[in-house]
Amino acid sequence: MIQVQNVAKFYGSAQALADVSFSVPEGEVVGLLGPNGAGKTTILKILTGYLQPDAGQVMVDGIDVVAEPRRAQACIGYLPENAPLYPELSVQAHLKLMADLRGVPADEQRARLSEAIYATGLQERLTQPIGELSKGFRQRVGLAQAILHRPRLLILDEPSVGLDPTQIVEMRHLIKRLAQQSTVLFSTHILPEVEALCDRVIILINGAVRADARLADLRESSDAVLVFDTPVKEAAARLSALAGVRGVDLIPSPYGHPTFRVRGDGATDLCPAVYALASSQQWPVRELRADRQTLESIFAKLAA
């Protein structure tokens, strides 16, 4: 559905994107994660044809976005960070205007409008002026206008920004429902958002892709954590000698027990080998577990 190859973008002398490449197959929900200023909004604007890249190629559903922007935009639903809404119009009037602008045939508009209104839970707000709506409901109107034409690709830029905790949960449910019909790419810097919604994550830092993987694969680690009841003098040296071990670190423990992280090369789970060694040495082991990475720890390492 999306193919981005070697895309670069400059704003004057400042490089916003540096040789960015990734692809998104049909049917996936992908989170574009990164700190503020990482280039997330820039790549989304390029994907939707609002900006042109200085180098590289962008394809959406097999269409070159630079060469045929209108054709590519016809299959995209886009919700920018601040939805462009007409505050003086009622919700119903605004969505009717958007359906006209999108070229939805007159004989299909009733069904399309009804579908978008019910999908986003706006049926009780149709006659209310948009300017009187809460931030959460304005975001819903923005989503409704983005799906009126039944897009094959839905692109959302920080869809939960400015929402309260209840509205954030509601927005997640909305996106999950919409993902049943469309491929979804959304940008965020909120880690729980990615974990709650995404099949895959692309981490963008300083305009470059630093990670691109399924969440389950990204969290996988061969590292092991070994906790002792009492100190073991030779433990670090013996653990370092195990096959597949890259290093051993003494790490803080909230309860004061000697705790080691045994770092692996990623090829094998170190827990069986560490257990066998500890058993043979009769070490006073309190706990042995695989050290699973969190998205927060992965992001912190990449951003460091």
Side-chain angles (χ1 to χ4, degrees), residues 289-302:
R289 57 181 167 80
D291 185 28
R292 299 300 180 201
Q293 300 184 95
T294 65
L295 189 55
E296 184 177 359
S297 67
I298 293 163
F299 186 78
K301 288 177 186 176
L302 293 173

Side-chain angles (χ1 to χ4, degrees), residues 9-17 54:
K9 180 65 181 177
F10 289 83
Y11 294 110
S13 61
Q15 187 167 27
L17 298 173
D54 294 315

Side-chain angles (χ1 to χ4, degrees), residues 30-266:
V30 178
L32 186 62
L33 179 63
N36 291 329
K40 303 186 301 297
T41 295
T42 297
I43 193 65
L44 295 189
K45 285 183 176 180
I46 288 172
L47 278 168
T48 53
Y50 286 92
L51 285 178
Q52 287 199 351
D54 294 315
Q57 185 180 51
V58 180
M59 307 286 288
V60 169
D61 200 17
I63 304 165
D64 188 319
V65 176
V66 175
E68 300 181 89
R70 290 295 182 88
R71 188 168 161 233
Q73 288 167 347
C75 65
I76 298 172
Y78 178 40
L79 176 63
E81 185 174 343
N82 296 302
L85 306 173
Y86 292 99
E88 69 277 9
L89 294 182
S90 69
V91 171
Q92 187 171 23
H94 179 84
L95 293 179
K96 174 65 168 65
L97 174 63
M98 292 301 108
D100 291 337
L101 292 175
R102 273 291 187 179
V104 177
D107 60 344
E108 295 182 22
Q109 283 195 11
R110 186 182 183 88
R112 298 283 188 93
L113 286 166
S114 178
E115 184 179 285
I117 287 163
Y118 278 93
T120 52
L122 288 169
Q123 55 268 33
E124 302 298 325
R125 308 285 177 170
L126 294 181
T127 60
Q128 190 170 351
I130 290 172
E132 297 178 5
L133 296 176
S134 68
K135 171 70 173 177
F137 275 103
R138 290 199 299 273
Q139 286 290 83
R140 289 179 184 229
V141 176
L143 262 181
Q145 73 178 29
I147 63 174
L148 275 171
H149 57 301
R150 295 175 184 163
R152 289 167 49 78
L153 172 62
L154 192 57
I155 294 178
L156 312 174
D157 190 3
E158 304 280 3
S160 297
V161 69
L163 303 187
D164 65 34
T166 301
Q167 292 169 336
I168 288 173
V169 172
E170 291 173 351
M171 184 60 66
R172 287 177 188 170
H173 290 320
L174 271 176
I175 294 171
K176 282 183 177 179
R177 289 202 299 272
L178 295 172
Q180 295 172 8
Q181 286 94 32
S182 304
T183 303
V184 178
L185 174 67
F186 75 95
S187 76
T188 185
H189 58 270
I190 303 171
L191 302 182
E193 201 90 291
V194 174
E195 293 179 313
L197 290 170
C198 294
D199 305 311
R200 201 173 112 229
V201 62
I202 298 167
I203 298 178
L204 199 65
I205 295 176
N206 295 328
V209 174
R210 296 292 302 277
D212 180 357
R214 297 186 67 81
L215 277 176
D217 296 336
L218 203 57
R219 291 193 186 105
E220 281 187 0
S221 170
S222 62
D223 296 359
V225 172
L226 180 62
V227 183
F228 295 126
D229 272 322
T230 57
V232 177
K233 191 172 184 180
E234 74 281 9
R238 289 185 177 274
L239 290 167
S240 297
L242 289 174
V245 172
R246 291 189 298 112
V248 177
D249 304 316
L250 181 64
I251 60 176
S253 167
Y255 304 107
H257 299 291
T259 303
F260 292 89
R261 177 182 290 114
V262 186
R263 293 181 283 108
D265 57 13

